[in-house]
Amino acid sequence: MDVLKPFGKLDLLYFYSKVASSLHDFLGDRELATKIYLERNFFIRRGSTEEPISIKDLYSEELNEDFFLLRTKISREEAIKQNKISNLQAKVWLYFPVCRCIDLFYACNYEGQGKPIERVFIDVDRVNLSSEKALEVTKNLIKIIEKDKALNALVNFETKILWTGSSFHVYLMLKRKITNEEYNKYFAYSKNEPLESFIGRWAEEISEKTGIKVRGGHEKKKNYIVLDPSQTPSGKLARVPFSLHFEKKSKKIDGICVPLSKKQLDEKNILAKLKALTPKKVLEDLGNWKKNL
């Protein structure tokens, strides 16, 4: 069976439903969001504007073969009108229309503003530089984070690493929640005071060690790797592990987000292996990938 076209039509909900149960411990009850591509644009479905869904909804027994077959035959509106689907099925269908390319995201520290922060999310944005350089920056970032005495005195944490399909995400999974004030003081990057935050100091140290231009912030900058923590606060979105990654113009899958161990970062030809992943390969080895979450 083609896991992207299980019943003849492109239906990415089928693939996402197969990885969903492996994500429960990582995502908990955090609200999901989908980025749905149109021919020349995209739109977002998310829990702040629609009825929220969480990862447990994607591995519900209600998402069965009959439901997926129905999705190939009639529209969501007709299915609702004819009372052929449940409330949960209708809700999930809204987020995952048939015949659309879809990225899967989640509210990193829940929807809504000003909530306590349980995880700090750092996007290693390579802009126009190579994934090899992003890998080198990520390996150095992990080492610096774990040895940072000031950080370790502030909060206990565990690091998690994701390959996004194009670059890397690094998480600090905090043992205690921090406030937005603490996030702004210690992690948020300010270009006016770049060395006042952990992000700015880590960026400078990596630049000195590697010779790669690294800076903090949200603004993309050509020829720089950017350490961007700005999607951390509640109400901001992060990519879900096992989300498909699409090339913007062609709308073709150009990567798959997977969780990595620190050991894997040092594996020979790891980038070639990651770039060769397919949805089928991910499902076949899902148990091993899950161990990294």
mmCIF file with all atom_site columns, all heavy atoms in Angstrom, residues 184-199:
data_model
loop_
_atom_site.group_PDB
_atom_site.id
_atom_site.type_symbol
_atom_site.label_atom_id
_atom_site.label_alt_id
_atom_site.label_comp_id
_atom_site.label_asym_id
_atom_site.label_entity_id
_atom_site.label_seq_id
_atom_site.pdbx_PDB_ins_code
_atom_site.Cartn_x
_atom_site.Cartn_y
_atom_site.Cartn_z
_atom_site.occupancy
_atom_site.B_iso_or_equiv
_atom_site.pdbx_formal_charge
_atom_site.auth_seq_id
_atom_site.auth_comp_id
_atom_site.auth_asym_id
_atom_site.auth_atom_id
_atom_site.pdbx_PDB_model_num
ATOM 1   N N   . ASN A 1 184 ? 12.205 35.846 28.568 1.00 0.00 ? 184 ASN A N   1
ATOM 2   C CA  . ASN A 1 184 ? 12.662 37.100 27.947 1.00 0.00 ? 184 ASN A CA  1
ATOM 3   C C   . ASN A 1 184 ? 14.016 37.532 28.486 1.00 0.00 ? 184 ASN A C   1
ATOM 4   O O   . ASN A 1 184 ? 14.843 38.090 27.746 1.00 0.00 ? 184 ASN A O   1
ATOM 5   C CB  . ASN A 1 184 ? 11.627 38.205 28.174 1.00 0.00 ? 184 ASN A CB  1
ATOM 6   C CG  . ASN A 1 184 ? 10.373 38.006 27.357 1.00 0.00 ? 184 ASN A CG  1
ATOM 7   O OD1 . ASN A 1 184 ? 10.423 37.487 26.246 1.00 0.00 ? 184 ASN A OD1 1
ATOM 8   N ND2 . ASN A 1 184 ? 9.225  38.387 27.909 1.00 0.00 ? 184 ASN A ND2 1
ATOM 9   N N   . LYS A 1 185 ? 14.253 37.278 29.757 1.00 0.00 ? 185 LYS A N   1
ATOM 10  C CA  . LYS A 1 185 ? 15.513 37.692 30.368 1.00 0.00 ? 185 LYS A CA  1
ATOM 11  C C   . LYS A 1 185 ? 16.678 36.819 29.930 1.00 0.00 ? 185 LYS A C   1
ATOM 12  O O   . LYS A 1 185 ? 17.771 37.328 29.630 1.00 0.00 ? 185 LYS A O   1
ATOM 13  C CB  . LYS A 1 185 ? 15.381 37.664 31.894 1.00 0.00 ? 185 LYS A CB  1
ATOM 14  C CG  . LYS A 1 185 ? 16.651 38.066 32.627 1.00 0.00 ? 185 LYS A CG  1
ATOM 15  C CD  . LYS A 1 185 ? 16.433 38.057 34.140 1.00 0.00 ? 185 LYS A CD  1
ATOM 16  C CE  . LYS A 1 185 ? 17.721 38.449 34.872 1.00 0.00 ? 185 LYS A CE  1
ATOM 17  N NZ  . LYS A 1 185 ? 17.527 38.451 36.358 1.00 0.00 ? 185 LYS A NZ  1
ATOM 18  N N   . TYR A 1 186 ? 16.456 35.509 29.865 1.00 0.00 ? 186 TYR A N   1
ATOM 19  C CA  . TYR A 1 186 ? 17.573 34.594 29.683 1.00 0.00 ? 186 TYR A CA  1
ATOM 20  C C   . TYR A 1 186 ? 17.712 34.035 28.259 1.00 0.00 ? 186 TYR A C   1
ATOM 21  O O   . TYR A 1 186 ? 18.822 33.672 27.858 1.00 0.00 ? 186 TYR A O   1
ATOM 22  C CB  . TYR A 1 186 ? 17.448 33.415 30.654 1.00 0.00 ? 186 TYR A CB  1
ATOM 23  C CG  . TYR A 1 186 ? 17.579 33.816 32.102 1.00 0.00 ? 186 TYR A CG  1
ATOM 24  C CD1 . TYR A 1 186 ? 16.462 33.782 32.950 1.00 0.00 ? 186 TYR A CD1 1
ATOM 25  C CD2 . TYR A 1 186 ? 18.800 34.226 32.629 1.00 0.00 ? 186 TYR A CD2 1
ATOM 26  C CE1 . TYR A 1 186 ? 16.577 34.141 34.288 1.00 0.00 ? 186 TYR A CE1 1
ATOM 27  C CE2 . TYR A 1 186 ? 18.918 34.594 33.966 1.00 0.00 ? 186 TYR A CE2 1
ATOM 28  C CZ  . TYR A 1 186 ? 17.808 34.555 34.785 1.00 0.00 ? 186 TYR A CZ  1
ATOM 29  O OH  . TYR A 1 186 ? 17.930 34.919 36.095 1.00 0.00 ? 186 TYR A OH  1
ATOM 30  N N   . PHE A 1 187 ? 16.614 33.929 27.518 1.00 0.00 ? 187 PHE A N   1
ATOM 31  C CA  . PHE A 1 187 ? 16.670 33.239 26.232 1.00 0.00 ? 187 PHE A CA  1
ATOM 32  C C   . PHE A 1 187 ? 16.349 34.117 25.027 1.00 0.00 ? 187 PHE A C   1
ATOM 33  O O   . PHE A 1 187 ? 16.955 33.955 23.964 1.00 0.00 ? 187 PHE A O   1
ATOM 34  C CB  . PHE A 1 187 ? 15.717 32.034 26.242 1.00 0.00 ? 187 PHE A CB  1
ATOM 35  C CG  . PHE A 1 187 ? 16.108 30.978 27.221 1.00 0.00 ? 187 PHE A CG  1
ATOM 36  C CD1 . PHE A 1 187 ? 15.487 30.888 28.462 1.00 0.00 ? 187 PHE A CD1 1
ATOM 37  C CD2 . PHE A 1 187 ? 17.105 30.060 26.922 1.00 0.00 ? 187 PHE A CD2 1
ATOM 38  C CE1 . PHE A 1 187 ? 15.844 29.917 29.384 1.00 0.00 ? 187 PHE A CE1 1
ATOM 39  C CE2 . PHE A 1 187 ? 17.475 29.079 27.834 1.00 0.00 ? 187 PHE A CE2 1
ATOM 40  C CZ  . PHE A 1 187 ? 16.844 29.013 29.075 1.00 0.00 ? 187 PHE A CZ  1
ATOM 41  N N   . ALA A 1 188 ? 15.386 35.013 25.146 1.00 0.00 ? 188 ALA A N   1
ATOM 42  C CA  . ALA A 1 188 ? 14.989 35.837 24.000 1.00 0.00 ? 188 ALA A CA  1
ATOM 43  C C   . ALA A 1 188 ? 16.175 36.676 23.526 1.00 0.00 ? 188 ALA A C   1
ATOM 44  O O   . ALA A 1 188 ? 16.887 37.283 24.331 1.00 0.00 ? 188 ALA A O   1
ATOM 45  C CB  . ALA A 1 188 ? 13.819 36.738 24.378 1.00 0.00 ? 188 ALA A CB  1
ATOM 46  N N   . TYR A 1 189 ? 16.367 36.703 22.220 1.00 0.00 ? 189 TYR A N   1
ATOM 47  C CA  . TYR A 1 189 ? 17.526 37.403 21.653 1.00 0.00 ? 189 TYR A CA  1
ATOM 48  C C   . TYR A 1 189 ? 17.192 38.849 21.346 1.00 0.00 ? 189 TYR A C   1
ATOM 49  O O   . TYR A 1 189 ? 16.136 39.151 20.777 1.00 0.00 ? 189 TYR A O   1
ATOM 50  C CB  . TYR A 1 189 ? 17.969 36.700 20.369 1.00 0.00 ? 189 TYR A CB  1
ATOM 51  C CG  . TYR A 1 189 ? 19.145 37.352 19.690 1.00 0.00 ? 189 TYR A CG  1
ATOM 52  C CD1 . TYR A 1 189 ? 20.443 37.105 20.121 1.00 0.00 ? 189 TYR A CD1 1
ATOM 53  C CD2 . TYR A 1 189 ? 18.961 38.220 18.617 1.00 0.00 ? 189 TYR A CD2 1
ATOM 54  C CE1 . TYR A 1 189 ? 21.533 37.706 19.503 1.00 0.00 ? 189 TYR A CE1 1
ATOM 55  C CE2 . TYR A 1 189 ? 20.035 38.829 17.996 1.00 0.00 ? 189 TYR A CE2 1
ATOM 56  C CZ  . TYR A 1 189 ? 21.320 38.565 18.446 1.00 0.00 ? 189 TYR A CZ  1
ATOM 57  O OH  . TYR A 1 189 ? 22.389 39.171 17.827 1.00 0.00 ? 189 TYR A OH  1
ATOM 58  N N   . SER A 1 190 ? 18.093 39.750 21.719 1.00 0.00 ? 190 SER A N   1
ATOM 59  C CA  . SER A 1 190 ? 17.956 41.162 21.384 1.00 0.00 ? 190 SER A CA  1
ATOM 60  C C   . SER A 1 190 ? 19.184 41.593 20.579 1.00 0.00 ? 190 SER A C   1
ATOM 61  O O   . SER A 1 190 ? 20.315 41.450 21.050 1.00 0.00 ? 190 SER A O   1
ATOM 62  C CB  . SER A 1 190 ? 17.847 42.012 22.657 1.00 0.00 ? 190 SER A CB  1
ATOM 63  O OG  . SER A 1 190 ? 17.977 43.393 22.340 1.00 0.00 ? 190 SER A OG  1
ATOM 64  N N   . LYS A 1 191 ? 18.971 42.104 19.379 1.00 0.00 ? 191 LYS A N   1
ATOM 65  C CA  . LYS A 1 191 ? 20.115 42.528 18.569 1.00 0.00 ? 191 LYS A CA  1
ATOM 66  C C   . LYS A 1 191 ? 20.799 43.755 19.163 1.00 0.00 ? 191 LYS A C   1
ATOM 67  O O   . LYS A 1 191 ? 21.959 44.037 18.844 1.00 0.00 ? 191 LYS A O   1
ATOM 68  C CB  . LYS A 1 191 ? 19.678 42.801 17.130 1.00 0.00 ? 191 LYS A CB  1
ATOM 69  C CG  . LYS A 1 191 ? 18.672 43.924 16.954 1.00 0.00 ? 191 LYS A CG  1
ATOM 70  C CD  . LYS A 1 191 ? 18.285 44.054 15.485 1.00 0.00 ? 191 LYS A CD  1
ATOM 71  C CE  . LYS A 1 191 ? 17.262 45.157 15.277 1.00 0.00 ? 191 LYS A CE  1
ATOM 72  N NZ  . LYS A 1 191 ? 16.870 45.272 13.847 1.00 0.00 ? 191 LYS A NZ  1
ATOM 73  N N   . ASN A 1 192 ? 20.094 44.473 20.037 1.00 0.00 ? 192 ASN A N   1
ATOM 74  C CA  . ASN A 1 192 ? 20.704 45.628 20.700 1.00 0.00 ? 192 ASN A CA  1
ATOM 75  C C   . ASN A 1 192 ? 21.608 45.203 21.866 1.00 0.00 ? 192 ASN A C   1
ATOM 76  O O   . ASN A 1 192 ? 22.557 45.923 22.210 1.00 0.00 ? 192 ASN A O   1
ATOM 77  C CB  . ASN A 1 192 ? 19.620 46.580 21.214 1.00 0.00 ? 192 ASN A CB  1
ATOM 78  C CG  . ASN A 1 192 ? 18.815 47.194 20.080 1.00 0.00 ? 192 ASN A CG  1
ATOM 79  O OD1 . ASN A 1 192 ? 19.350 47.509 19.029 1.00 0.00 ? 192 ASN A OD1 1
ATOM 80  N ND2 . ASN A 1 192 ? 17.516 47.334 20.303 1.00 0.00 ? 192 ASN A ND2 1
ATOM 81  N N   . GLU A 1 193 ? 21.282 44.044 22.465 1.00 0.00 ? 193 GLU A N   1
ATOM 82  C CA  . GLU A 1 193 ? 22.096 43.512 23.562 1.00 0.00 ? 193 GLU A CA  1
ATOM 83  C C   . GLU A 1 193 ? 22.312 42.010 23.329 1.00 0.00 ? 193 GLU A C   1
ATOM 84  O O   . GLU A 1 193 ? 21.823 41.170 24.078 1.00 0.00 ? 193 GLU A O   1
ATOM 85  C CB  . GLU A 1 193 ? 21.410 43.750 24.902 1.00 0.00 ? 193 GLU A CB  1
ATOM 86  C CG  . GLU A 1 193 ? 21.217 45.220 25.254 1.00 0.00 ? 193 GLU A CG  1
ATOM 87  C CD  . GLU A 1 193 ? 20.485 45.403 26.564 1.00 0.00 ? 193 GLU A CD  1
ATOM 88  O OE1 . GLU A 1 193 ? 19.402 44.801 26.730 1.00 0.00 ? 193 GLU A OE1 1
ATOM 89  O OE2 . GLU A 1 193 ? 20.999 46.140 27.420 1.00 0.00 ? 193 GLU A OE2 1
ATOM 90  N N   . PRO A 1 194 ? 23.047 41.653 22.279 1.00 0.00 ? 194 PRO A N   1
ATOM 91  C CA  . PRO A 1 194 ? 23.143 40.251 21.859 1.00 0.00 ? 194 PRO A CA  1
ATOM 92  C C   . PRO A 1 194 ? 23.742 39.314 22.890 1.00 0.00 ? 194 PRO A C   1
ATOM 93  O O   . PRO A 1 194 ? 23.401 38.121 22.916 1.00 0.00 ? 194 PRO A O   1
ATOM 94  C CB  . PRO A 1 194 ? 24.019 40.320 20.604 1.00 0.00 ? 194 PRO A CB  1
ATOM 95  C CG  . PRO A 1 194 ? 24.782 41.603 20.725 1.00 0.00 ? 194 PRO A CG  1
ATOM 96  C CD  . PRO A 1 194 ? 23.842 42.543 21.416 1.00 0.00 ? 194 PRO A CD  1
ATOM 97  N N   . LEU A 1 195 ? 24.622 39.805 23.746 1.00 0.00 ? 195 LEU A N   1
ATOM 98  C CA  . LEU A 1 195 ? 25.296 38.925 24.700 1.00 0.00 ? 195 LEU A CA  1
ATOM 99  C C   . LEU A 1 195 ? 24.592 38.845 26.046 1.00 0.00 ? 195 LEU A C   1
ATOM 100 O O   . LEU A 1 195 ? 25.104 38.226 26.989 1.00 0.00 ? 195 LEU A O   1
ATOM 101 C CB  . LEU A 1 195 ? 26.748 39.373 24.890 1.00 0.00 ? 195 LEU A CB  1
ATOM 102 C CG  . LEU A 1 195 ? 27.604 39.365 23.616 1.00 0.00 ? 195 LEU A CG  1
ATOM 103 C CD1 . LEU A 1 195 ? 29.039 39.760 23.923 1.00 0.00 ? 195 LEU A CD1 1
ATOM 104 C CD2 . LEU A 1 195 ? 27.567 37.994 22.929 1.00 0.00 ? 195 LEU A CD2 1
ATOM 105 N N   . GLU A 1 196 ? 23.411 39.450 26.139 1.00 0.00 ? 196 GLU A N   1
ATOM 106 C CA  . GLU A 1 196 ? 22.647 39.398 27.384 1.00 0.00 ? 196 GLU A CA  1
ATOM 107 C C   . GLU A 1 196 ? 21.858 38.103 27.521 1.00 0.00 ? 196 GLU A C   1
ATOM 108 O O   . GLU A 1 196 ? 21.377 37.771 28.606 1.00 0.00 ? 196 GLU A O   1
ATOM 109 C CB  . GLU A 1 196 ? 21.698 40.600 27.474 1.00 0.00 ? 196 GLU A CB  1
ATOM 110 C CG  . GLU A 1 196 ? 22.402 41.928 27.685 1.00 0.00 ? 196 GLU A CG  1
ATOM 111 C CD  . GLU A 1 196 ? 23.191 41.962 28.987 1.00 0.00 ? 196 GLU A CD  1
ATOM 112 O OE1 . GLU A 1 196 ? 22.599 41.652 30.047 1.00 0.00 ? 196 GLU A OE1 1
ATOM 113 O OE2 . GLU A 1 196 ? 24.392 42.278 28.944 1.00 0.00 ? 196 GLU A OE2 1
ATOM 114 N N   . SER A 1 197 ? 21.693 37.370 26.424 1.00 0.00 ? 197 SER A N   1
ATOM 115 C CA  . SER A 1 197 ? 20.918 36.123 26.470 1.00 0.00 ? 197 SER A CA  1
ATOM 116 C C   . SER A 1 197 ? 21.828 34.925 26.241 1.00 0.00 ? 197 SER A C   1
ATOM 117 O O   . SER A 1 197 ? 22.914 35.038 25.663 1.00 0.00 ? 197 SER A O   1
ATOM 118 C CB  . SER A 1 197 ? 19.825 36.131 25.395 1.00 0.00 ? 197 SER A CB  1
ATOM 119 O OG  . SER A 1 197 ? 20.400 36.033 24.100 1.00 0.00 ? 197 SER A OG  1
ATOM 120 N N   . PHE A 1 198 ? 21.375 33.759 26.698 1.00 0.00 ? 198 PHE A N   1
ATOM 121 C CA  . PHE A 1 198 ? 22.094 32.525 26.403 1.00 0.00 ? 198 PHE A CA  1
ATOM 122 C C   . PHE A 1 198 ? 22.262 32.362 24.899 1.00 0.00 ? 198 PHE A C   1
ATOM 123 O O   . PHE A 1 198 ? 23.328 31.975 24.422 1.00 0.00 ? 198 PHE A O   1
ATOM 124 C CB  . PHE A 1 198 ? 21.330 31.315 26.965 1.00 0.00 ? 198 PHE A CB  1
ATOM 125 C CG  . PHE A 1 198 ? 21.399 31.177 28.460 1.00 0.00 ? 198 PHE A CG  1
ATOM 126 C CD1 . PHE A 1 198 ? 20.240 31.205 29.217 1.00 0.00 ? 198 PHE A CD1 1
ATOM 127 C CD2 . PHE A 1 198 ? 22.612 31.006 29.106 1.00 0.00 ? 198 PHE A CD2 1
ATOM 128 C CE1 . PHE A 1 198 ? 20.288 31.061 30.603 1.00 0.00 ? 198 PHE A CE1 1
ATOM 129 C CE2 . PHE A 1 198 ? 22.674 30.866 30.481 1.00 0.00 ? 198 PHE A CE2 1
ATOM 130 C CZ  . PHE A 1 198 ? 21.506 30.890 31.236 1.00 0.00 ? 198 PHE A CZ  1
ATOM 131 N N   . ILE A 1 199 ? 21.197 32.623 24.152 1.00 0.00 ? 199 ILE A N   1
ATOM 132 C CA  . ILE A 1 199 ? 21.227 32.435 22.694 1.00 0.00 ? 199 ILE A CA  1
ATOM 133 C C   . ILE A 1 199 ? 22.355 33.244 22.066 1.00 0.00 ? 199 ILE A C   1
ATOM 134 O O   . ILE A 1 199 ? 23.129 32.731 21.250 1.00 0.00 ? 199 ILE A O   1
ATOM 135 C CB  . ILE A 1 199 ? 19.871 32.829 22.075 1.00 0.00 ? 199 ILE A CB  1
ATOM 136 C CG1 . ILE A 1 199 ? 18.752 31.902 22.573 1.00 0.00 ? 199 ILE A CG1 1
ATOM 137 C CG2 . ILE A 1 199 ? 19.941 32.806 20.547 1.00 0.00 ? 199 ILE A CG2 1
ATOM 138 C CD1 . ILE A 1 199 ? 18.857 30.468 22.120 1.00 0.00 ? 199 ILE A CD1 1
#
